[in-house]
Amino acid sequence: MKLNEKELLYIGNKVNGEAHKEGALWIKETEKKLKKKEVYTRRYFRLVGNLLFYLSGDNKSDSVYGLIILIKTEVEPECQRSETQHAFKITFQYDSSVYNLAAESPEEMVSWIMAIRSVNYDFMLTALSELRTKIFQLAGRDPIPAGNPYYKLPYRSMDELPLTTGTTNQYEPILNLSLACSSLVSLCSNSQPSAFVITNIKTPPQFYWLRHSQTEVLPDTCDPHYFTTVILTAKYTLLSTEIKFEVFDVYDRKHQKMLPIGTAECTVKDILGAPNYQLRKEIKQGGDIRGYINILGWKEALEPPMQTPENSSPKLPLSPLQVGFDGWRLENVERSKSKPLKLPFNKLLMTTFQFPIAKSSKEDVPKVMKVSEVMGEGLYSWSIPTQLMKLFIKEDNIWLQYYHSLGELVEEWEMIRQEVVLDHFTSITHYREVLVEMEKLQGEGITFKKSTDKSQTPYEFIPTNLHIQYMRVELEKQSSPTITYEVISVGAPTAYNLKFKTGGLMKWHNTAPFSMANHYLDNAASDNKTLRGKIILEKIEEVTENIKLCFEAFTMSSSSSDLGNINEKFYNLQTEVYRLQSHCNINLMNEALEGLQKAMSPKARGPLFGQHCTTVSLLFDHIESALSTLGGHVTGLDQIDFDGTTSPARSKVNWKQILKDPSHTFFKYLEDVVSILKKAVYYIFLKDAFDLAYERVPLGIQGYRHRRDICFSHAVTTLATSFATKLRQCAVDPSYSLQLAQLGFLVYWESLLSTHGDESGMLEDFFVAVQDLNNVKLKITCGDGQHGPIITGARYKVTVEMPLEDTLFRLLPIELQKGQEISVCAVMFSQGINEQQSIADRIGDNSLQDAINIENFRTLKQYLSQLSSHFALAGEESKKKVALALTLAEELQNHVHNTRKRKNIEIFATMQALSRLLNAARVTSCKSAKDRTAMAVTLEQVQILIKDFNMAPSAFQQALDSMRSQGTRIHNSLKNVGHPQYAFNVIQIPALPRHYRPPEGTYRKLPT
């Protein structure tokens, strides 16, 4: 190969050039000393095309020292014992040369490996082949003309994909592999191997291996049987696809140090051609046999059957509903010709396992179960917060209109109004700016809020790390139904970006003199003046509209000759006026009128609002006087002929003309009085806001209303996601639909927050957000199932309209089809489990946690009381389930009131069982829904497998470790912080309850 040295030096020394990647690495070199010794030297590397330059030092301004030409190369991590961590090596296909390199961190190592692979000629050739295949399939013709030198490049034809029949999704799982090793050789004389298997894939025309998956680590055994299975998707289903299994012995799990035991290779064709898809291969290293690997394959059913709902009497629904999934899209036998229903998640992660079932003397009991985990991002993470923010902006604009309608005020109150108006205006401006930032983020392709972004203002209304996780359980017997469990995981609904120096929302609840917590509850007897004012304002507007309609009807009747009709219309008008007076003639309005008179400028008061007209009764004296005058004219109409042609004693005057002036006078007084009454209500709003500010309860940016808006947005988005998930899974179950219609939607929220430090403030926000959900209403509308929910209503009292595909919509009870609103019963139970909770248990205060649990148990008890009444006349099976629910509730009550027990996680286990029995939606949260949440979700899944599916108890810990090390939860950590590890340190691990501890090697100190 001829190279131009000057040109290469120019490219390598170009500091601000277009390098694919550059940075410092360690390279293994031989020292230039008498004793030749290999050492790692830190140098600066620059990757330009397929040329990897390394410089004389570790500074980017140093000169070029050497060059590696990346042709026919392979790059892979160095798994043998090494003098340094994060090592990898570059080897050549036709040369024995090896370059040993090391990065500063595992993330940098992976980044460099991927960068070097991407510039490899073979990699680009494979990419060209993939693109050529896709274009050929879409356009029906070859995009490369016959004369092109790349025309003879092989590409996949549809004939080479025999296993993909029935699916168009290249990521559809169609072949699973279960792995086990036997007779492994121990590389350390003092112990048996702690082995795991890495699976690599090479699909023609690809020339290099790609790491596909790996199993969990099984300690101290020569015959490991792995629970984590290998999923082969439609993308890797060529019969010629090669699979390489690399087996490693982990001798230092904490620092992830390992030694290679050996490798085994086969093809997809080998597995499918083996009897019962069972293949046994030798594990070799340098020609020596170091054990065996046993491969068991099975094809995925593309269209599993789904149970058809039975028409039966109301019963307590079975949870979970037994359904089947085709690529995780719910399919109903009645709608096979319709569009697939869009579930509320995307960007799926999927892992599979195979767990043993406890031994039984019965022959028909299966020996293993197949378990799949599927996790996806919630689809509504952006749409619902956007709708809520627009609703908040609209409502703040209405408040501004109220304050402006007060007219001219005296100087003192004008200053107060300006301060309150500025507060609302600042909120509107801030919310609009955040909406613009959110649109930019969406335009950049960001689909969810990472845990590391939770303190960023543009993300403040987006729920943190919102994901939906399904666990699908399929028994070995083909006739057994597939059973699915779902859980929503999301960061605690809290205003993390506003910090917690003054605590959370509950603390403001307690300090605010006018309990703003209940602003939007329909309770006219509340001490909250703003709330009562809003109710009065609604009544004034409602009755005033009725008075105008009655007045219009009365005016029209005066054009007729029917005196009885005129008297009837006048009576209706008189009744509505008295209704208006009854709604307003209360102490609150009298106090408001008195205050308004002092606040308004004298020249702005008008003739009706004089020095002595400071009560509702005095104001209505004007209306009553005008109404009495109008009534007198109506009474005198019987003395006047309508057409004036009969008795000479009667005037010849039209009745409408007679009533015109007194009618006009009455209506003018009515408008003036209503205007004053509304201003009195606006004064209540203004004074209430001022009193809160005076008591140092800020409302706007970084204040109470802002914090509550953020928490409410998180909670409603999560609620809508859980409702959509549950509805699409259970809509075919008539008993669940009846449960929704008659009892409402039950959602159980599990909190893992502690009661010490900032998390105490988060827990306060959390509690108020969940309480606010009890004021939310749900409504199911008929749609195409492809669009998201619509938000209507007012602040903290919204209605979520959820569209449902037509065929499923027609299965709902008639009252739900007619638009009946579904109430929400949201309950949360909290138990801290980390080291912060240990501090709170010993020297802190747990009263917040205890109060939250006791209060939510009261809410749950009310729901159970309604449930008991509802199923009182149901069948024996339903009565048994109700009795079981009440027994679990009693057990839960004992746990909740046992406040002396530290880290009482039995609360969770009992409530989880109860929520499954009641078919409640499930949400689990910690600060970021990443680490503690992962431990809680996987523990619940394994407990379900043991209790409901008779998984072998001896497999409990291995199943836990498998799900935590190879399941979807550790991939969730990678999505959030860029590391496939949990953010626990060595101090936190001992503080966690035993079953909440991650496997060794899967955690380290990381940002949360």
Side-chain angles (χ1 to χ4, degrees):
M1 181 181 293
K2 293 183 179 181
L3 299 173
N4 187 317
E5 185 177 349
K6 289 184 179 180
E7 191 171 322
L8 288 175
L9 289 173
Y10 172 76
I11 295 172
N13 288 321
K14 199 172 182 181
V15 177
N16 296 319
E18 296 181 357
H20 289 89
K21 184 171 178 60
E22 55 185 323
L25 290 172
W26 298 84
I27 182 170
K28 195 174 187 179
E29 298 175 325
T30 304
E31 285 184 315
K32 294 180 179 179
K33 294 182 180 180
L34 185 61
K35 290 184 177 181
K36 302 297 182 181
K37 182 182 178 182
E38 290 188 332
V39 295
Y40 276 92
T41 306
R42 196 171 189 269
R43 298 189 184 279
Y44 196 86
F45 281 71
R46 186 172 289 133
L47 180 63
V48 183
N50 65 341
L51 303 176
L52 181 60
F53 296 93
Y54 53 99
L55 310 186
S56 58
D58 59 0
N59 194 298
K60 66 189 301 183
S61 60
D62 292 330
S63 59
V64 172
Y65 183 80
L67 170 66
I68 305 172
I69 301 175
L70 303 171
I71 296 178
K72 296 294 181 181
T73 59
E74 290 188 5
V75 56
E76 56 187 13
E78 178 60 77
C79 296
Q80 299 187 32
R81 291 185 189 268
S82 177
E83 302 95 302
T84 184
Q85 292 184 342
H86 322 311
F88 60 100
K89 62 182 178 181
I90 300 174
T91 58
F92 295 84
Q93 190 172 347
Y94 303 112
D95 192 352
S96 59
S97 300
V98 178
Y99 287 89
N100 296 101
L101 306 173
E104 303 285 351
S105 66
E107 295 74 39
E108 270 296 293
M109 179 188 73
V110 172
S111 178
W112 272 104
I113 289 175
M114 296 307 296
I116 293 171
R117 282 178 176 174
S118 68
V119 299
N120 192 304
Y121 174 77
D122 294 336
F123 183 94
M124 290 186 282
L125 203 63
T126 302
L128 175 63
S129 175
E130 292 280 352
L131 289 172
R132 183 184 182 188
T133 301
K134 291 179 181 178
I135 294 173
F136 185 87
Q137 292 173 358
L138 291 172
R141 60 182 179 84
D142 194 340
I144 300 179
N148 192 290
Y150 291 102
Y151 177 74
K152 293 184 179 180
L153 177 72
Y155 66 96
R156 298 185 188 183
S157 66
M158 295 307 293
D159 295 336
E160 294 179 273
L161 304 175
L163 300 179
T164 61
T165 305
T167 177
T168 58
N169 182 0
Q170 65 173 336
Y171 298 106
E172 190 92 32
I174 58 172
L175 185 64
N176 272 18
L177 305 179
S178 178
L179 305 179
C181 296
S182 59
S183 306
L184 292 180
V185 174
S186 176
L187 302 180
C188 300
S189 58
N190 58 345
S191 65
Q192 291 184 322
S194 296
F196 75 100
V197 180
I198 293 177
T199 304
N200 302 281
I201 298 291
K202 185 164 66 174
T203 302
Q206 187 175 305
F207 297 103
Y208 54 90
W209 293 102
L210 283 178
R211 179 167 172 168
H212 182 72
S213 62
Q214 74 177 58
T215 66
E216 69 274 20
V217 178
L218 288 185
D220 304 323
T221 176
C222 294
D223 304 300
H225 187 153
Y226 299 102
F227 289 170
T228 306
T229 63
V230 179
I231 305 174
L232 292 181
T233 64
K235 191 177 177 67
Y236 301 105
T237 49
L238 287 175
L239 293 176
S240 57
T241 295
E242 298 177 57
I243 307 173
K244 180 169 70 173
F245 301 102
E246 297 179 287
V247 186
F248 295 89
D249 178 11
V250 182
Y251 64 89
D252 185 349
R253 192 167 183 181
K254 183 176 182 181
H255 297 96
Q256 300 183 4
K257 293 183 178 181
M258 62 197 78
L259 293 171
I261 295 177
T263 63
E265 295 185 19
C266 67
T267 64
V268 172
K269 185 176 181 180
D270 294 338
I271 298 172
L272 296 179
N276 299 320
Y277 301 156
Q278 295 183 29
L279 189 64
R280 180 181 173 90
K281 301 291 288 186
E282 295 173 342
I283 300 172
K284 294 184 178 180
Q285 179 73 4
D288 298 332
I289 298 177
R290 294 189 170 181
Y292 300 90
I293 185 166
N294 303 304
I295 308 158
L296 171 62
W298 71 89
K299 289 184 179 181
E300 286 286 340
L302 293 177
E303 295 184 2
M306 174 177 172
Q307 289 191 351
T308 306
E310 299 178 359
N311 296 322
S312 57
S313 58
K315 60 182 180 180
L316 196 65
L318 291 172
S319 180
L321 182 67
Q322 297 177 342
V323 295
F325 283 81
D326 175 9
W328 299 93
R329 295 168 300 181
L330 189 63
E331 292 289 347
N332 187 347
V333 294
E334 296 182 8
R335 58 186 199 89
S336 58
K337 296 181 180 180
S338 64
K339 293 182 180 179
L341 186 61
K342 187 175 183 180
L343 289 172
F345 60 82
N346 59 7
K347 294 193 175 181
L348 302 186
L349 295 170
M350 183 174 181
T351 57
T352 60
F353 307 91
Q354 186 168 275
F355 298 128
I357 294 177
K359 293 181 179 180
S360 173
S361 57
K362 297 180 180 179
E363 294 183 359
D364 59 342
V365 174
K367 296 180 180 179
V368 296
M369 67 181 80
K370 300 168 187 177
V371 177
S372 302
E373 282 187 323
V374 174
M375 175 189 286
E377 297 172 9
L379 280 180
Y380 309 146
S381 292
W382 297 84
S383 61
I384 289 182
T386 299
Q387 292 183 67
L388 286 171
M389 290 178 70
K390 290 179 179 178
L391 185 147
F392 297 155
I393 291 171
K394 180 181 178 182
E395 189 162 309
D396 280 342
N397 277 318
I398 292 174
W399 286 108
L400 292 179
Q401 293 175 14
Y402 288 163
Y403 300 140
H404 179 74
S405 299
L406 283 169
E408 188 177 346
L409 303 178
V410 297
E411 183 178 356
E412 177 188 356
W413 279 96
E414 183 60 38
M415 292 177 64
I416 292 172
R417 176 165 63 179
Q418 289 180 11
E419 182 179 340
V420 175
V421 165
L422 179 63
D423 183 71
H424 282 280
F425 184 77
T426 306
S427 293
I428 292 171
T429 304
H430 175 73
Y431 286 12
R432 285 175 175 167
E433 290 174 351
V434 172
L435 277 174
V436 171
E437 292 297 319
M438 286 171 60
E439 290 178 2
K440 289 180 181 178
L441 292 171
Q442 283 185 281
E444 294 171 3
I446 297 174
T447 54
F448 87 111
K449 176 180 173 181
K450 296 181 180 179
S451 63
T452 51
D453 294 327
K454 58 180 174 288
S455 61
Q456 302 299 315
T457 298
Y459 292 94
E460 62 182 353
F461 286 91
I462 309 297
T464 303
N465 192 21
L466 175 61
H467 281 77
I468 304 164
Q469 178 159 329
Y470 284 92
M471 180 178 73
R472 181 176 65 174
V473 184
E474 183 179 356
L475 300 179
E476 191 179 42
K477 293 173 62 178
Q478 294 296 325
S479 59
S480 301
T482 298
I483 302 179
T484 304
Y485 297 82
E486 83 288 335
V487 63
I488 312 297
S489 61
V490 65
T494 180
Y496 194 86
N497 62 310
L498 301 185
K499 309 303 179 186
F500 304 94
K501 291 182 180 178
T502 56
L505 287 172
M506 280 184 69
K507 199 158 290 183
W508 262 325
H509 272 9
N510 297 331
T511 57
F514 306 110
S515 182
M516 290 194 62
N518 299 318
H519 257 195
Y520 294 86
L521 298 181
D522 293 325
N523 181 9
S526 170
D527 292 333
N528 186 326
K529 292 182 180 179
T530 298
L531 166 64
R532 295 172 64 194
K534 284 182 70 68
I535 295 173
I536 293 171
L537 183 62
E538 290 173 1
K539 295 296 183 182
I540 289 174
E541 291 176 343
E542 176 191 338
V543 179
T544 301
E545 188 63 30
N546 291 340
I547 291 175
K548 289 179 180 179
L549 293 174
C550 290
F551 181 76
E552 184 179 348
F554 170 73
T555 303
M556 292 178 64
S557 68
S558 64
S559 301
S560 68
S561 59
D562 189 348
L563 187 60
N565 186 37
I566 295 175
N567 280 299
E568 180 185 349
K569 301 303 181 187
F570 179 75
Y571 175 79
N572 294 339
L573 177 64
Q574 197 174 33
T575 302
E576 290 299 321
V577 170
Y578 292 152
R579 259 189 77 204
L580 177 63
Q581 185 174 6
S582 66
H583 285 308
C584 299
N585 195 11
I586 56 175
N587 292 335
L588 178 62
M589 288 298 290
N590 290 327
E591 293 172 6
L593 286 171
E594 185 177 357
L596 177 64
Q597 188 180 51
K598 296 176 182 177
M600 290 183 68
S601 171
K603 60 181 180 181
R605 293 174 188 166
L608 286 185
F609 204 29
Q611 182 68 27
H612 303 292
C613 195
T614 57
T615 66
V616 173
S617 297
L618 291 174
L619 273 180
F620 272 87
D621 283 349
H622 297 283
I623 295 181
E624 288 178 0
S625 176
L627 193 61
S628 178
T629 302
L630 180 58
H633 282 74
V634 171
T635 304
L637 289 179
D638 62 347
Q639 302 296 319
I640 304 172
D641 274 347
F642 175 74
D643 56 5
T645 58
T646 56
S647 172
R650 295 183 177 181
S651 304
K652 297 180 180 181
V653 180
N654 190 290
W655 287 355
K656 186 173 183 178
Q657 292 297 322
I658 294 174
L659 299 177
K660 180 179 180 181
D661 290 339
S663 297
H664 181 269
T665 301
F666 161 76
F667 196 75
K668 181 66 171 64
Y669 277 130
L670 174 70
E671 287 184 326
D672 291 345
V673 169
V674 168
S675 175
I676 294 171
L677 291 172
K678 286 185 176 181
K679 287 181 179 180
V681 176
Y682 304 155
Y683 171 80
I684 293 172
F685 298 156
L686 181 62
K687 187 176 184 303
D688 214 7
F690 170 69
D691 288 340
L692 287 167
Y694 183 77
E695 294 288 335
R696 298 182 180 180
V697 181
L699 293 175
I701 301 304
Q702 299 186 0
Y704 180 92
R705 186 177 56 235
H706 184 202
R707 178 178 286 273
R708 192 174 178 192
D709 286 349
I710 292 172
C711 299
F712 186 69
S713 175
H714 293 190
V716 171
T717 305
T718 306
L719 174 73
T721 302
S722 63
F723 182 59
T725 304
K726 202 73 180 176
L727 186 63
R728 282 156 173 78
Q729 186 181 351
C730 298
V732 295
D733 184 352
S735 60
Y736 181 72
S737 300
L738 285 174
Q739 181 181 348
L740 284 180
Q742 300 179 17
L743 300 176
F745 179 64
L746 178 62
V747 54
Y748 161 49
W749 212 316
E750 188 173 292
S751 163
L752 298 157
L753 294 177
S754 69
T755 54
H756 182 75
D758 284 351
E759 288 199 6
S760 178
M762 296 178 200
L763 188 56
E764 291 184 16
D765 285 353
F766 198 154
F767 172 71
V768 174
V770 173
Q771 290 295 99
D772 279 340
L773 292 181
N774 290 299
N775 304 321
V776 174
K777 300 294 182 183
L778 304 170
K779 184 186 290 186
I780 305 173
T781 59
C782 185
D784 57 7
Q786 305 297 308
H787 296 89
I790 298 173
I791 306 297
T792 58
R795 218 182 207 113
Y796 317 136
K797 193 178 180 183
V798 300
T799 299
V800 181
E801 297 181 4
M802 185 67 64
L804 187 63
E805 191 264 356
D806 177 67
T807 309
L808 287 180
F809 183 79
R810 287 190 276 108
L811 297 176
L812 297 175
I814 190 65
E815 54 265 37
L816 294 183
Q817 294 186 39
K818 290 182 177 180
Q820 175 188 306
E821 290 184 339
I822 301 169
S823 61
V824 174
C825 180
V827 294
M828 68 171 286
F829 290 92
S830 183
Q831 177 58 66
I833 62 172
N834 62 359
E835 80 287 356
Q836 295 291 324
Q837 189 60 44
S838 298
I839 296 173
D841 287 340
R842 287 170 173 79
I843 61 174
D845 182 9
N846 284 333
S847 59
L848 173 62
Q849 178 177 275
D850 297 337
I852 287 174
N853 291 341
I854 292 172
E855 177 63 28
N856 279 275
F857 181 77
R858 291 196 192 102
T859 304
L860 179 64
K861 196 172 181 179
Q862 292 174 359
Y863 185 90
L864 289 171
S865 177
Q866 296 177 14
L867 180 73
S868 300
S869 302
H870 177 67
F871 289 108
L873 301 178
E876 287 300 319
E877 184 180 351
S878 294
K879 288 182 179 180
K880 289 180 181 179
K881 293 183 185 298
V882 171
L884 178 58
L886 295 176
T887 301
L888 288 172
E890 186 176 348
E891 183 181 336
L892 177 65
Q893 183 177 19
N894 295 333
H895 292 315
V896 165
H897 286 86
N898 184 9
T899 57
R900 293 185 178 182
K901 185 173 181 178
R902 296 173 179 175
K903 297 186 180 178
N904 190 359
I905 57 176
E906 284 80 4
I907 291 176
F908 293 155
T910 306
M911 188 57 208
Q912 288 164 5
L914 183 57
S915 65
R916 289 194 297 271
L917 184 66
L918 299 177
N919 225 339
R922 280 280 292 107
V923 185
T924 300
S925 293
C926 59
K927 184 168 65 175
S928 302
K930 179 172 57 66
D931 306 308
R932 282 170 283 176
T933 296
M935 302 301 107
V937 169
T938 50
L939 177 60
E940 182 179 1
Q941 289 181 167
V942 173
Q943 288 174 336
I944 289 172
L945 295 178
I946 288 180
K947 183 178 179 181
D948 296 350
F949 297 94
N950 198 28
M951 186 181 82
S954 59
F956 175 82
Q957 192 59 50
Q958 185 184 343
L960 263 184
D961 292 347
S962 300
M963 286 185 170
R964 289 170 179 174
S965 63
Q966 305 303 322
T968 57
R969 301 312 311 188
I970 203 160
H971 291 290
N972 182 260
S973 294
L974 177 63
K975 288 177 65 175
N976 279 274
V977 298
H979 303 269
Q981 288 176 303
Y982 302 112
F984 294 114
N985 57 44
V986 293
I987 299 175
Q988 292 174 309
I989 297 299
L992 295 171
R994 184 165 58 93
H995 293 321
Y996 284 81
R997 296 173 187 172
E1000 190 71 39
T1002 62
Y1003 61 88
R1004 67 187 178 98
K1005 187 176 181 180
L1006 290 168
T1008 59

